[in-house]
Amino acid sequence: MMSQGKPILMLVEDDEGLAKQLKWALADTYEVHVAGDRAAALATARRVEPKVVVLDLGLPPDPNGATEGLGILKDLLSFRPWLKIIVSSGNAERVHALEAVRDGAYDIYPKPVDIDTLRMIVARAMQLAELEEENRRLAAARERGPMAEVIAESPKMLDVLRMIERVAPSDVNVLLTGESGTGKEVLARALHRCSGRVDGPFIAINCAAIPENLLESELFGHEKGAFTGAVKTTPGKIEQADGGTLFLDEIGDMPHPLQVKLLRFLQERVIERVGGRSQIAVNVRVIAATNADLQALIHDGRFREDLYYRLDEVGVHIPPLRERPGDATLLARFFLSRYAREMKRPVRGFTADAVTAIAGYDWPGNVRELENRVKRALVLADGVLITAADLRLNAAEFPTLRMAREEAEMEAVSKALCVADNNVSAAAKLLGVSRPTLYDLMRTLRLRD
């Protein structure tokens, strides 16, 4: 009779005597299932869903080699890529064990079998498997929440998320600013899901993607016969968003004549379709976004200042990925998990050089570039781990604390000397240090002989 409530362990071993010995030694802690060949191993794994597998590589029909064991390893990871597989290895089989690790095995246990060593390896693997399972459960729960698509842990982004949560319950217009690819639409959708309008529509329109002569009709709709080709009355995006949220992306590219009409709508909350004469009341919350400097556009006369203040009732700036320490690695793992599942690729993670490269790269294309590189790497990767080469990134040396400190000191001292017009005494006062200390620092940084 199977024990209940114990973690599930599977042994793949064709030696019946050894299999019984291992099962007896481990059954007090685990619910142990034994399989002697590939067919039994795959069937048992699908039926009982073990967290950890102990696999002998030397199985029939290749008991003196590893082809069958490596084949089982790949088959198991193809449908359960998070499975922790521990392979056996004698000195003569070391090369096969290393190949198994490259193919995704979690660890190796030495032959002849030492039960205490095997117990320790299995316990460690089981603990990690359960931790990862809990993380997947929490991630799945989060995917159903209002902030599901927002992946962040950096202080700047957590401040942004707190601002979004505070603003969401009200109906004020929100202006999201930030570089292209930082995730403005993702945050706009999160704001909508956190608001009281969550049951209403979320309608998005990119003001830069639609020709000027069509944008007015897209936004405000048109009456039948309003222009050539208008064969029926069609509501615009603003009208479609009634009761929900309208997201105006790239608002800085809106033509000046349309800015006047949008301003009137924001003031009076009524629209007129193109070719129409009746006013239509619309209840909608407006979120706008831009990667442009609207203040500069206002100065150049290309954007209305009064419209800016209507849109910017609350402004939220989204920092670029290079200013969000830790987020690039977190996002990369999120994208890897999502697309590996969608593409059914047995890729489980990143190599150390890939993680270093991700953390050290500036990501000029921000989150959009990161997502693109991870998707492409998933398609091209040969093994179960994505390398820096797969991402087409250089595995640059990670900066040490000393390097970071010297760089910060160099910048601060250079700026102070510039402000003080190279007067060392004045610069020392700005920096809050004594003049001798500043002289020593300047010599260390080679700013003065």
Side-chain angles (χ1 to χ4, degrees):
M1 185 174 179
M2 281 195 302
S3 58
Q4 299 297 319
K6 294 180 180 179
I8 299 175
L9 171 70
M10 183 171 77
L11 306 176
V12 184
E13 174 60 65
D14 67 315
D15 183 325
E16 291 186 11
L18 179 57
K20 286 181 180 179
Q21 179 187 357
L22 293 176
K23 182 174 181 179
W24 177 83
L26 297 166
D28 59 334
T29 309
Y30 307 107
E31 179 183 310
V32 183
H33 297 262
V34 178
D37 55 38
R38 184 187 295 212
L42 297 180
T44 302
R46 292 184 185 277
R47 178 171 55 85
V48 304
E49 298 185 349
K51 297 180 186 296
V52 176
V53 173
V54 176
L55 171 64
D56 181 12
L57 293 178
L59 295 168
D62 185 20
N64 297 317
T67 54
E68 189 68 3
L70 291 173
I72 293 173
L73 172 74
K74 292 176 182 178
D75 286 345
L76 289 172
L77 291 177
S78 68
F79 69 91
R80 289 183 68 80
W82 53 85
L83 194 58
K84 299 290 175 280
I85 301 179
I86 303 164
V87 298
S88 63
S89 170
N91 289 333
E93 302 160 336
R94 190 74 178 172
V95 64
H96 299 314
L98 293 176
E99 184 179 353
V101 171
R102 282 195 297 271
D103 286 344
Y106 165 73
D107 206 344
I108 303 167
Y109 77 90
K111 285 183 176 180
V113 176
D114 178 84
I115 293 298
D116 290 336
T117 300
L118 181 59
R119 278 199 187 103
M120 180 188 70
I121 296 172
V122 170
R124 187 174 58 191
M126 195 67 73
Q127 184 179 25
L128 181 59
E130 291 176 345
L131 179 62
E132 290 180 353
E133 184 177 47
E134 176 67 8
N135 287 339
R136 286 193 298 273
R137 187 188 66 77
L138 292 174
R142 186 182 179 190
E143 286 179 5
R144 295 189 291 271
M147 292 289 185
E149 297 178 13
V150 184
I151 309 299
E153 66 178 9
S154 62
K156 285 187 176 181
M157 274 305 292
L158 293 180
D159 285 344
V160 168
L161 297 186
R162 282 190 284 268
M163 174 68 83
I164 293 292
E165 289 176 337
R166 284 199 300 268
V167 170
S170 69
D171 267 346
V172 296
N173 298 327
V174 177
L175 178 63
L176 303 175
T177 58
E179 295 178 10
S180 179
T182 49
K184 293 185 286 294
E185 183 169 347
V186 170
L187 282 170
R189 291 182 181 277
L191 198 157
H192 171 72
R193 289 193 296 267
C194 289
S195 74
R197 296 174 175 268
V198 62
D199 293 327
F202 178 92
I203 304 296
I205 183 168
N206 189 317
C207 301
I210 300 172
E212 182 176 343
N213 61 330
L214 297 178
L215 185 56
E216 181 179 12
S217 174
E218 282 290 313
L219 272 173
F220 295 92
H222 60 263
E223 297 287 346
K224 179 179 179 180
F227 49 82
T228 303
V231 296
K232 64 177 182 177
T233 297
T234 303
K237 298 293 187 184
I238 295 176
E239 207 174 332
Q240 292 173 32
D242 188 33
T245 302
L246 175 70
F247 177 56
L248 300 172
D249 200 6
E250 303 301 348
I251 190 67
D253 291 294
M254 178 173 281
H256 206 276
L258 269 187
Q259 293 178 29
V260 178
K261 194 166 182 178
L262 178 62
L263 176 63
R264 180 172 179 267
F265 162 67
L266 292 175
Q267 290 171 335
E268 302 179 14
R269 298 292 167 165
V270 295
I271 62 166
E272 290 181 10
R273 297 183 186 134
V274 176
R277 296 187 181 278
S278 60
Q279 293 187 338
I280 303 169
V282 182
N283 174 16
V284 66
R285 197 238 192 101
V286 176
I287 303 173
T290 183
N291 60 12
D293 184 345
L294 291 186
Q295 294 289 356
L297 295 180
I298 290 168
H299 183 268
D300 294 341
R302 290 188 288 157
F303 199 83
R304 293 182 63 99
E305 188 172 19
D306 48 5
L307 176 58
Y308 170 77
Y309 288 117
R310 282 287 180 182
L311 294 170
D312 190 32
E313 291 179 340
V314 174
V316 179
H317 179 71
I318 306 167
L321 197 50
R322 62 182 173 275
E323 296 178 8
R324 297 160 51 178
D327 281 0
T329 306
L330 193 67
L331 282 159
R333 290 189 171 118
F334 169 77
F335 290 135
L336 172 64
S337 175
R338 169 189 281 182
Y339 292 119
R341 188 167 59 246
E342 288 183 7
M343 298 178 186
K344 297 181 179 178
R345 294 279 290 155
V347 178
R348 302 174 63 188
F350 297 95
T351 59
D353 72 317
V355 173
T356 301
I358 290 167
Y361 185 57
D362 271 351
W363 298 107
N366 291 296
V367 180
R368 188 177 295 126
E369 179 187 1
L370 173 60
E371 182 177 11
N372 178 273
R373 284 182 184 262
V374 171
K375 287 180 73 173
R376 182 173 57 198
L378 267 168
V379 174
L380 299 177
D382 291 326
V384 295
L385 297 177
I386 288 177
T387 66
D390 293 328
L391 292 164
R392 298 187 183 178
L393 295 175
N394 294 321
E397 181 183 352
F398 198 80
T400 64
L401 285 176
R402 180 178 178 180
M403 292 163 59
R405 185 174 63 248
E406 287 180 354
E407 184 178 346
E409 288 175 342
M410 176 76 78
E411 182 180 354
V413 171
S414 299
K415 191 176 293 184
L417 288 170
C418 181
V419 170
D421 197 22
N422 285 321
N423 184 308
V424 176
S425 295
K429 287 182 180 179
L430 288 172
L431 292 167
V433 298
S434 66
R435 194 169 77 164
T437 298
L438 180 55
Y439 271 119
D440 288 342
L441 190 55
M442 290 167 63
R443 279 193 291 270
T444 302
L445 297 173
R446 298 179 183 176
L447 291 173
R448 180 167 292 189
D449 296 331

